[in-house]
Amino acid sequence: MTESELIAGCQRAESKAQKCLYERFAAPMYGVCLRYLKNQMDAEEALLNGFMKIYQHIGQYEAKGSFEGWVRRIMVNEALGFLRKKEPLHLAIEDSHIQVAGTTGADHELAEEELLELLLTLPAGYRTVFNLYAIEGYGHKEIADMLGITEGTSKSQLSKARAMLQRRLSGNEAIAS
């Protein structure tokens, strides 16, 4: 089934097209949700809620960008909404986090699963901004608008997230779960 056939079928609420859409996008979108949320059950719930929104609002897709990008944006927004409910995006910084990153680079080759585990150890604010900027490709203005923070806070959170990841990769900081 082509993408346009898939979209048209979902717009007509055809269960076969909805199933095909889910099968095509569930795995990568689950990965998106899992990067924002700390556990698999929360990620699965956000994924399912995201698909429900896709099915309900597929008529609003205007084919101006990639369909996968449209789906991804819905999933990111769903994960952020879930995160806001479950884990406040407080920007607390412990004293031990305010240190200069070690000189050893974070150029270790990590498996995707190890990187995900490392990202999940970041405080919620750091993790969210890092995901939106470094992985999803949003700019600081967009992030600020999405999260209700200033651009400066977005930049600061990204910088602190990177420094914390570098320290943890170099072994200069213990990972607290």
Side-chain angles (χ1 to χ4, degrees):
M1 188 176 286
T2 68
E3 189 172 280
S4 58
E5 291 171 335
L6 185 65
I7 294 166
C10 286
Q11 287 173 337
R12 292 187 301 269
E14 295 173 1
S15 60
K16 180 181 175 187
Q18 290 173 336
K19 181 180 182 214
C20 187
L21 177 85
Y22 182 84
E23 289 172 349
R24 187 174 295 179
F25 291 105
M29 295 306 126
Y30 175 71
V32 168
C33 293
L34 196 56
R35 281 198 309 267
Y36 290 93
L37 304 168
K38 281 197 169 202
N39 68 56
Q40 293 177 349
M41 286 179 49
D42 291 346
E44 288 171 7
E45 187 173 337
L47 178 75
L48 293 175
N49 290 340
F51 272 104
M52 291 306 297
K53 286 187 178 171
I54 289 167
Y55 298 147
Q56 291 169 351
H57 301 289
I58 197 157
Q60 296 173 4
Y61 174 66
E62 299 175 351
K64 291 185 178 175
S66 81
F67 182 64
E68 183 174 356
W70 184 78
V71 169
R72 178 180 295 271
R73 186 168 188 98
I74 290 172
M75 291 299 172
V76 167
N77 286 332
E78 191 61 34
L80 290 176
F82 195 89
L83 186 61
R84 279 188 205 99
K85 289 181 206 166
K86 291 284 243 181
E87 186 176 343
L89 292 175
H90 57 80
L91 307 175
I93 304 166
E94 296 175 18
D95 290 339
S96 64
H97 295 158
I98 305 173
Q99 58 183 353
V100 179
T103 56
T104 59
D107 55 358
H108 303 304
E109 289 191 28
L110 294 176
E112 185 176 336
E113 186 175 310
E114 291 172 317
L115 181 58
L116 177 60
E117 287 177 21
L118 191 58
L119 287 175
L120 291 177
T121 67
L122 292 174
Y126 292 6
R127 182 176 68 247
T128 301
V129 172
F130 184 86
N131 277 324
L132 288 170
Y133 184 86
I135 298 174
E136 301 296 338
Y138 290 103
H140 288 293
K141 176 148 181 38
E142 291 173 298
I143 294 169
D145 291 343
M146 290 170 83
L147 300 179
I149 59 176
T150 66
E151 284 184 64
T153 300
S154 176
K155 290 176 183 178
S156 171
Q157 292 298 291
L158 177 63
S159 175
K160 291 171 183 171
R162 285 179 171 165
M164 187 178 285
L165 287 171
Q166 287 176 337
R167 287 192 305 273
R168 289 180 178 175
L169 284 170
S170 65
N172 291 341
E173 180 177 306
I175 297 173
S177 296

